[in-house]
Amino acid sequence: MLRSGGSIFSNIPPVTKNLIIINFIVWLATMALPHRLGIDIMQFGALHYIKAPDFNPAQLLTYMFMHSTSDFAHILFNMFTLFMFGVTLERVMGAPRFLFYYISCGIGAAIIQELVWACTWEDIFVRSMANFYGVDFPEMRQAISAAVSSGQELTFLNQLQTIGASGAIYGVLLAFGMLFPNMPLYIMFIPVPIKAKWMVIGYGAIELLIGLSSANDGVAHFAHLGGMIFGFIMIWFWKKKGTLHGGY
């Protein structure tokens, strides 16, 4: 850990700093342990569908510290966003409240993802399996229905997984937009500043539209929205009670 008083890293408040460190440590372990010890962290830490045999309640927390090892942009953009907005939010909200907020948004995102899976898993899974095996939808649905009737569907459900801090990160974006709605922000490839409130609304609208579309891009868009929904409820409640800053 850097201790130089003049370094940028040493000036990051503790919760934001340690969240970034933990995420990168877990990311490195996810790459190293399967090769060194034959341990698949994804099996234990990734969020599984609640009816899958590999699901356990701890995954509601652990999944948000895991990221794709094949796409560095996944962890890079999440941690960069946490750094950009988490520093300010932690100083405004205080370390304990910010940590509670961040974790709650991540858990809220997981809950929403579980609800989405409960409503859509059959259609999503059948289509993906039909494409994988090169058969039509009705044929694959019949095969899976036969497996379900014999109690074999649980193994299939293990393939429904999600990882990443994005749900919590979207909650961080939501909080920044609510607390600093008129703060001008610059977004990549857009040459003019955009107020934070419009940025947050735009991100939310994009996630909703993509989530409602039939596109299966492997991204948990409704989990992102879940982080924003739980974040909105908490910020609204704390502002109403006047306790956003720990009562001060």
Side-chain angles (χ1 to χ4, degrees):
M1 185 177 297
L2 298 177
R3 296 185 179 274
S4 174
S7 68
I8 296 176
F9 198 66
S10 65
N11 292 324
I12 303 176
V15 171
T16 302
K17 179 194 299 182
N18 286 295
L19 284 173
I20 294 174
I21 293 173
I22 292 171
N23 274 276
F24 274 106
I25 289 176
V26 174
W27 181 71
L28 292 172
T30 304
M31 287 193 296
L33 290 183
H35 301 289
R36 300 273 182 162
L37 302 177
I39 299 175
D40 184 7
I41 298 181
M42 291 292 182
Q43 179 183 355
F44 303 102
L47 179 66
H48 291 67
Y49 181 36
I50 193 170
K51 291 184 179 180
D54 286 347
F55 171 81
N56 68 77
Q59 293 170 359
L60 296 171
L61 176 65
T62 58
Y63 89 100
M64 71 181 78
F65 295 98
M66 308 187 69
H67 291 81
S68 171
T69 57
S70 61
D71 182 9
F72 182 63
H74 188 208
I75 187 171
L76 177 64
F77 284 111
N78 275 345
M79 294 303 100
F80 178 74
T81 305
L82 176 58
F83 167 74
M84 291 297 295
F85 299 101
V87 169
T88 300
L89 290 177
E90 183 175 347
R91 288 171 177 162
V92 169
M93 300 168 69
R97 175 146 294 184
F98 177 68
L99 178 60
F100 175 83
Y101 177 83
Y102 180 91
I103 297 298
S104 297
C105 286
I107 294 176
I111 292 173
I112 295 298
Q113 183 60 40
E114 290 288 347
L115 292 175
V116 170
W117 274 335
C119 297
T120 64
W121 79 266
E122 184 175 9
D123 183 68
I124 294 173
F125 185 71
V126 171
R127 290 188 186 280
S128 62
M129 293 293 288
N131 292 333
F132 180 79
Y133 287 106
V135 300
D136 57 21
F137 184 86
E139 183 179 351
M140 180 54 64
R141 187 166 199 166
Q142 182 178 3
I144 291 179
S145 297
V148 169
S149 63
S150 63
Q152 298 177 18
E153 84 283 1
L154 296 180
T155 302
F156 299 152
L157 295 180
N158 274 331
Q159 298 184 38
L160 294 175
Q161 301 178 25
T162 191
I163 56 173
S166 299
I169 296 299
Y170 270 75
V172 169
L173 289 174
L174 187 282
F176 192 90
M178 290 184 69
L179 299 182
F180 306 98
N182 296 315
M183 177 75 72
L185 301 173
Y186 283 92
I187 301 177
M188 190 178 299
F189 306 123
I190 300 180
V192 295
I194 299 176
K195 291 184 178 180
K197 59 184 177 183
W198 300 123
M199 180 200 70
V200 170
I201 292 173
Y203 271 115
I206 291 172
E207 291 298 314
L208 179 61
L209 290 174
I210 298 177
L212 291 175
S213 71
S214 57
N216 185 15
D217 57 2
V219 178
H221 296 286
F222 285 107
H224 299 170
L225 290 171
M228 298 182 83
I229 292 171
F230 275 72
F232 176 84
I233 293 172
M234 285 185 285
I235 297 296
W236 174 82
F237 178 79
W238 289 335
K239 290 181 72 174
K240 183 178 180 181
K241 295 295 183 180
T243 58
L244 181 64
H245 311 286
Y248 293 97

